[in-house]
Every structure is written in structure tokens, then in C-alpha cells.
Amino acid sequence: MAMSRHVSGWLQAAPLTVVLGGFLIAPIIMIVVVSFWGATEYSIYPAFQFDNYSYLFGSAVVWKVFLATFKYALITWVFTLAIGFTVAYFLAFHVRSQAMQTALFLLCTIPFWTSNIIRMISWIPFLGRNGIANSALISWGVVDQPVEWLLYSDFSVILAFVHLYTLFMVVPIFNTMMRIDRSLIEAAVDNGASAFQTLRHVILPLTKPGIMIGTIFVVTLVMGDFITVRFMSGSQKANVGRLISNDIALLQYPSAAATSVVLLITVLMVIGILLRFVNIRKEL
């Protein structure tokens, strides 16, 4: 009986194993293999060499690009966490009607009804030199001439990132907050805790799983993105995703594969560090 159950369990898991193996594990293995190949200006050839990795770790430009990627991820995480936590807290604890909660939550998802690229480039006419933002600032007398750094700068890149990925922080935090036992909050208030003390000592610790899940979403999405940096910086800035994209455009697949492997390991290390702060599997 135990043997038949064991075999049945393997058979049930077989389709998922095949899908994961074929569409996740096999491509990653191939990328790792290609990362050791060599390349010329016109072709690539199978080999086992560390030239791609030695170039990556020995290039000051690559280090600057990785640092810029971490900078984008960190700043975006700070803003998405602040906005996401505030929105989730308002929906979970200040909107009493479940119907209103659902309506407001759906309202937050409206921008996602269009593609990321459309939502991203919609900022360009707003932030441009002759755009709505500069026109308003000049008409109000705040500035005498258009503000150049509103577009094609780190500011516009981070603004687009925050706009694109804030919902990925709102959803897990809101979901976690909705599962908090309201009697714990009532007990804290009955014991004389202020609103801030209740937030700090009750709500915030119980919201950690949602914050960690949202952080993983936002950080991985930002670090793997390349199209946002390209459009919103006017091709003046770079991140790791764009570095990989440029190598692919130049048919330098081994170099792109090596950069992808380093990026993958970096992201996995970041996720591993985040998972040490909370046991997400237990909380879910």
C-alpha cells in the first residue's frame, strides 16, 4: 500500500516535473553552458574558458552597471514599500466595507489593464521639456525655464519603476494585513498603546511576510528590467538587463549568458538573504 502511494505520488508530480525541467531548468543549464563558450565578431564556438567571466569581473564599466542596478532596485524598493504599505494599511484598516475595499483595490489595478510599455512611455509627454509638468511649473512661477532632469535621467527611470511595480508591493502586504487578527489590535489599544505603537509593535511584525514577498517581487523585477531604463533614460543610463540586451543585439551570446548567470546568482543571493528574515512558507 505504501509503495503504491509512493508511485502514485511520483506519477502525479511527473507532469509538473517535466514542465519545470523543460521550461526552467534546461534553459538555465544551457545558459550556463554557453557562458563558457568563446565568441568572435562573426561567430560563437563551443569551448570551456573563463574569458567571459574574467572580463565581467575585471571591467570597471560592468561594476558600475551592477552598482547602478542595485541603486535602482534599492531606491525603487524604498518608494514602493512606503507607498504600498500606506495604501495597504488604508485599505485594510480604514475602509470598513468589504465592497469598498474590493472597489478601491480594483481601482489600483486599472493601470495594469494596459501594457507596461504604454504606461511607461506615457510619462514622456508629461515630463518632457515642453510637457505638462514643466508647463505647470513655469506658469506657477516655480521655475523660469524647463527643468531638464525630469526626463531622461535617474529620476524618470525610478519614477517609471515605482509606477510599474508598486502594485506588486501593495498586493502581498494587503493580503497579509487582512489576515491579522483584529483582536490583537483591540488588545493593544485596550492596554493603552497609541496608534503608532500599535503599528510598530503589532501590525508591522505581523506584516513581515507580505513585505518580504513584495520586496522579492520588486527587487527581482527591477534588477531584470532593461526596457524601462532604455526608454526613460533616453539610452543615457544602463543596468545589467540592458547590458545583456546589448550583447544579444551584437550576437555576443556567450558574454550575454555569462552576465545572465552572474545576475541570476546575485538575485538568488538577495532572495536568500531576504528569506532569512521570515519563514514565508510557514506564514503562507
Side-chain angles (χ1 to χ4, degrees), residues 85 88-89 92-93 173-180 182 207:
F85 189 91
Y89 180 83
F93 297 107
I173 294 178
F174 173 72
N175 181 59
T176 306
M177 285 183 174
M178 290 301 294
R179 295 168 55 192
I180 295 176
R182 295 305 190 266
T207 313

Side-chain angles (χ1 to χ4, degrees), residues 70-168:
F70 277 111
K71 178 186 70 175
Y72 289 141
L74 178 62
I75 298 176
T76 303
W77 171 76
V78 170
F79 282 103
T80 54
L81 177 59
I83 298 171
F85 189 91
T86 303
V87 172
Y89 180 83
F90 173 77
L91 292 176
F93 297 107
H94 290 278
V95 179
R96 302 299 180 184
S97 170
Q98 186 173 0
M100 184 59 69
Q101 282 181 341
T102 303
L104 292 175
F105 185 78
L106 290 175
L107 185 64
C108 293
T109 67
I110 287 178
F112 282 77
W113 296 358
T114 60
S115 86
N116 276 10
I117 296 178
I118 297 299
R119 288 186 289 129
M120 175 183 58
I121 64 176
S122 66
W123 285 104
I124 294 178
F126 182 82
L127 299 174
R129 181 179 177 84
N130 298 315
I132 299 173
N134 271 314
S135 299
L137 292 174
I138 293 174
S139 64
W140 294 341
V142 178
V143 295
D144 297 326
Q145 55 186 4
V147 181
E148 300 289 345
W149 53 263
L150 288 180
L151 186 61
Y152 302 141
S153 62
D154 284 340
F155 171 82
S156 58
V157 171
I158 292 170
L159 178 64
F161 275 142
V162 173
H163 175 211
L164 292 174
Y165 301 135
T166 294
L167 190 65
F168 289 95

